[in-house]
Amino acid sequence: MKLKRRRKLITYLNILDQPIRFNPFVFSRTFLLWAFLGLLGGLIAGLYWIVLEFLTHKMAFFTGWQVIPLMSIAGLLAGLVIHFIGDPGEIHLIVNNIRFNKGKLDPKNNPSMILSSLLCVASGGSLGPEAPLVQVTGSTGSWLGKIFRLKGEELRSLSIAGMASGFTALFGAPLGGSLFSLEILHHKHAVEYYKAIIPALVASSFSYVVFALVIHLGIGPVWNLSEYEYSGVFDFLYAVIFAVGGTLVAWGFIYCTKCFKLIFEKRPIPIYLKTLIGGFLLGIIAYYFPLTRYFGHHEINELLTQDLSLNALVAILVFKIVAIAITVTSGWRGGFIIPLFFVGVTLGMILSIIFPSINPILAIISCMAAINACVTRTPMSTTILLATLTGFGYFIPILFASLTGYFLAPKIPFIGSQLE
C-alpha cells in the first residue's frame, strides 16, 4: 500500500510541475481550418456563379428555333470536354466516395466538371449548378485534408464540410445546406455522419458570407410564397394529401429517367454523341415550351406570375419531367434539386386550378417538398431549404409533406449509391 501511495504522490507532483494550459474557448485550430474551407468554398461558388450568369446571358440571345442548334452544339462541346479531359462523374460517385473511399473526392475531375457543367447549365439544360459546386467544394475539402495530413473521420468530415459550403452558397441556407450534405449520403439513417455536422455548419456559415459579398446576395426568399395564411388544423391533412400527389409525380419522374437510361445505354456510343442527341432533344422541348429551358432558378418566379391555363401547365409539367430525365441520362452535367422544385410548383398550380377551393400556396409548397424528399431522401434539409427559399413562415406543413414524400418513396433509391 505504501508503494502505491508513493507512486500516486509522484504522479501528482509531476502533474503540478507541468505548466497549466487553460483554453477558455471551445474552438481550436480545426475551427480555423473549417472556416478557411468555407471561405474558399464561398469564393469558388461566387466565381462559378458569375461566369455562369455571364454565359447564360450570352446564350439567352438565341431564342425560337435557334435553341435547337445552340443546345445541340453545347451538348457536343460538353461531351468532347468529358471525352478528352475525363469523366467527372455524377452525384452517385460523390456519395460513393464519401461512404466507401474514406471520404476522398478527387480534385483532378474538377476542370472537366466545371467546363462541362457551365456549358450544360448556361445553354438551358434542365439541371442546376448544385452538383458541380458540391463536387468542386467537396474535393477542395479533401485537398485541404491531405495537406494537413488528416485521416479517417477527420478527412471525411472536411470533405462533407466542403460539400455543405457548396450547397449553402447556392441555396443561401447554412443550416439546410449542412443537413443536406449529410442526409443525401444515406437514405436510412438520415445523419449517419453526424460527427461532421459542426464542421459543415462552420464552413457553410463562412461560405454564405463570402458568396453573398461576391454576388451581392440579399437576405430574403428567392421565390416568394409568404402569402399563406393558416386556416386550421386540417391544413396539415391537406399538406399530406397534396404530398401524396407530389409523390406520385416523383415516382413518374424516377421511372421516366429509368426508361431514358435504358434507351441511351442500349447501344454503347461515345459520350459526345449522347450529349449531342440529348441537346437536340432538349432544344426541341425548349422551342415548344420555353419555360422548361434552364434549371428553374428564375423560371419559378416567372411561372408563379403568369396566368397559364390548365392544359399549358400540364404540358409544362410533363415535358419538364422529360427534359430533366433526358438531361440526367444523356451525359449532361448538373444537379436536379431546383428542377424538381420547378416541377413541384407546376403540380401545385395544377391542383389549385382543378380544386379552386384549396389554398394554392399550401398546395405548391407541399408538392415541392414531397417531390424532392421522395427523389433525394432528404426530408429534414428539404423542409429547412424550402422555408428559407420561399419565405414560407409555417414550418410544420412543409415537414409533414417532406415526411410523406420520404416514407412513400420507392424502396430502391433514385441515387443508387444511397443503398447500404
Side-chain angles (χ1 to χ4, degrees), residues 29-39 154 157-158 161 198-200 202-204 206:
R29 66 176 185 175
T30 53
F31 171 87
L32 300 176
L33 184 59
W34 304 334
F36 180 66
L37 175 59
L39 295 174
E154 288 185 334
S157 294
L158 204 61
I198 297 299
V202 172
S204 293
F206 280 88

Side-chain angles (χ1 to χ4, degrees), residues 35-57:
F36 180 66
L37 175 59
L39 295 174
L40 272 181
L43 183 61
I44 291 169
L47 294 175
Y48 182 95
W49 185 263
I50 289 171
V51 175
L52 177 62
E53 287 283 294
F54 174 78
L55 291 175
T56 302
H57 285 303

Side-chain angles (χ1 to χ4, degrees), residues 337-409:
I337 297 166
I338 295 179
L340 289 177
F341 285 155
F342 181 93
V343 172
V345 172
T346 311
L347 177 61
M349 294 178 70
I350 290 172
L351 292 176
S352 65
I353 293 176
I354 297 174
F355 306 103
S357 60
I358 67 173
N359 189 309
I361 303 299
L362 181 62
I364 288 170
I365 201 78
S366 300
C367 292
M368 292 173 77
I371 291 173
N372 191 68
C374 179
V375 175
T376 62
R377 309 296 179 96
T378 56
M380 291 189 295
S381 52
T382 294
T383 303
I384 298 170
L385 284 174
L386 277 178
T388 306
L389 291 171
T390 63
F392 193 88
Y394 295 85
F395 193 83
I396 304 301
I398 311 178
L399 180 59
F400 273 58
S402 296
L403 289 173
T404 302
Y406 175 75
F407 286 111
L408 295 182

Side-chain angles (χ1 to χ4, degrees), residues 16 86 242 291:
L16 290 173
F242 299 146
L291 269 179

Side-chain angles (χ1 to χ4, degrees), residues 45-47 54 80 88 104 138 145 149 161 172 192 204-205 218 221 242 262 267 282 290 319 321 383 404 410:
L47 294 175
F54 174 78
L80 289 172
K104 298 175 184 176
R149 298 181 180 179
E192 183 179 9
S204 293
S205 299
F242 299 146
L262 290 174
R267 291 184 180 179
L282 290 171
F319 282 99
I321 290 173
T383 303
T404 302

Side-chain angles (χ1 to χ4, degrees), residues 278-302:
F280 178 73
L281 295 175
L282 290 171
I284 294 174
I285 295 173
Y287 170 66
Y288 287 103
F289 303 97
L291 269 179
T292 63
R293 192 181 175 193
Y294 300 113
F295 62 98
H297 184 76
H298 302 293
E299 288 69 32
I300 286 178
N301 281 328
E302 191 176 345

